[in-house]
Structure formats: structure tokens, C-alpha cells
Amino acid sequence: MLLKGKTALVTGGGSGMGKAISKLFNKEGAQVAIVDLNQEAAEWTAKECGTAVLPIQANVAAEEEVERAVNQTVKHFGGVDIVVNSAGVPMAFTPVEEVSIEQWQRTMEVNCTSIFLTAKYTVPFMKQKNSGAILNICSIAGVRARPGLNAYCASKGAAIMLTKALAIELAPYRIRVNGINPGPADTPMLSKFLHGDEEQIQRDTKEIFLSSVPLGSLIQPEDIAEAALYLCSDQAKIVTGEIVNVDGGRGI
Ligand SMILES: NC(=O)c1ccc[n+]([C@@H]2O[C@H](COP(=O)([O-])OP(=O)(O)OC[C@H]3O[C@@H](n4cnc5c(N)ncnc54)[C@H](O)[C@@H]3O)[C@@H](O)[C@H]2O)c1
């Protein structure tokens, strides 16, 4: 029970890594606010957890919705000790001249601005306790570029730097801020990086993603959850500003 007595707010908790993190954190004793754009998905994750979970529908790119989600969490559980930013959007390989400004902005807002917003509204509660842990699910694409992933790579590179900027700013309050760079992961998001029909996507997943992982398999959401548990628990009490690649060696 590494998180006994803690309250965690997990964005993107309705699917993939956020779902696996919500379930593991709850199993390890945390009360969990499961925040997702998709209400049904958040509720589904809540059903798969034990007790002490709160599904919340919110868009993490909208300031007033983040503020509402944080206030709901604090009202329901009495505080917030841990934030995991897992909500994100992919982009299918697109030449830069074909990327619309709307796609660029949405990618930056969901993948990076959301980290600023959850920090803005949860840090005051963490400062009151002089402790806290923030974990940002970034991406190996934030340090190793791929052609046609321009906006996605930029958003994740920004997320990595924001993680470090927050870590140095919040260290005097003993609020730790870390990141994980997943490699290609076996979640509903993976196929959305690709174009084409089902058969093409299956072939490209193997050729593009699987072949890029030295350990030879896609990353499972549970692999990310295990690393998240370490970074958000007191086992990592002296770790901050760190970005851990959980990527099967893709980042080497
Ligand atoms: N899957 C991969 O290969 C991979 C690799 C590296 C990094 N990542 C990153 O890991 C994180 C988790 O990805 P995943 O693979 O679990 O994806 P996923 O698509 O399975 O889950 C993402 C969740 O985020 C939610 N979401 C999207 N936009 C939102 C918004 N505006 N507000 C609230 N919720 C929103 C979705 O509804 C969904 O439930 C993302 O940040 C992603 O960029 C994924």
C-alpha cells in the first residue's frame, strides 16, 4: 500500500496508461479522481477500481474545467497530493505544410498547456501541506523526432521542459515533479498515429513501431503504471526533475 492515505488526480484516466495508473494507484491505497473528456470512459475505469474513486468529465485544455475538476476533487476527498497528467492527443504523420493552425494549437493545448493548468490549480493545495508529487506522461517523441509528427514532438518536448521548470520552482515546497517518456505503447492511441485502413495500420504498427523498440515488444500501459507508482510514492522522495524513459530502449 504505497499510496495509503493519498489523493491522486489522474487526467486521461478513461483509457490506456491513465486507466492503468488509476487502477494501480487505487489498489495501492490512493483515493483517485479519474478525469477524462470522455465521461463514460472515466466511469468505466471507476467501476473497474475499488472504492474511493471519483469520475470527473472535464477538458484538460480548458482553464475553467480544470479549476472545476480540482475543486470537485478537493471537496470530495479533502485535498490533492498527487497529479498525473496522462491525457493527450496523437497526430497522424502529416507534412508540416498540411498541418492546420487549429491542429497545432489543439495538440499543444492538450499535451502541454494542460500540465500548466493542473499545476496552477493543484499547487496551492500542495504548498499548504509542503508536499506533493506531479507526474507528466511525456513521450520519447519529445526527445527523438519522427518525420510528420511535428506538432506532437513539439508538444512533448515542451512538456519535458515544463516538467523540469516546475521541478526547480517547486522544490523548496517539497513538491516533486517528474516525467515518463513512454515508447510506442499498446493503447488505443497507437493506431491514431497512422493513416490507412485496418490492414495497413496493422502492417505499419509492426514495421514502424515494433521494429523501433530494441527490446522487441510494445510497451504495456501497466509498465507505465509501475514506473508512475514509484515516482509518485515516497520511494522516490528524493527524485525530482527526472524524465524516465519507459520505452524498451527506443530512446538509446
Ligand atoms: N500510446 C503511445 O504509443 C504513446 C507513446 C508515448 C506517449 N504517449 C502519451 O501517453 C499519454 C497516454 O496515452 P495513451 O496511449 O494512454 O492514450 P489513450 O488514447 O488510450 O488515452 C488518452 C485519454 O486522454 C483523454 N483525453 C484526450 N483529450 C483530452 C482532453 N482534452 N481532456 C481530458 N481528457 C482527454 C482521452 O479521452 C483518453 O481517455 C498521452 O499523453 C500520450 O501522448 C502515448
Side-chain angles (χ1 to χ4, degrees), residues 29 47 68 80 87 93 100 115 135 139 183 200 222:
K47 279 199 191 103
R68 170 179 53 79
V80 57
F93 299 114
S100 67
I115 296 173
L135 177 68
S139 175
Q200 170 94 32
E222 291 73 22

Side-chain angles (χ1 to χ4, degrees), residues 11-25:
T11 77
S15 177
M17 302 174 201
K19 181 176 187 166
I21 290 167
S22 298
K23 287 169 72 173
L24 182 61
F25 280 24

Side-chain angles (χ1 to χ4, degrees), residues 11-19 35-38 41-42 58-62 85-90 106 110-111 137-141 152 156 180-190 192-193 209 221 224:
T11 77
S15 177
M17 302 174 201
K19 181 176 187 166
V35 179
D36 206 287
L37 193 59
N38 182 335
N59 175 4
V60 294
N85 290 294
S86 186
V89 284
R106 178 164 175 268
V110 179
N111 291 355
I137 307 300
C138 306
S139 175
I140 202 65
Y152 186 77
K156 293 300 186 177
I180 289 176
N181 282 344
D186 193 7
T187 73
M189 183 180 283
L190 191 64
K192 297 182 191 147
F193 285 103
F209 294 121
I224 303 300

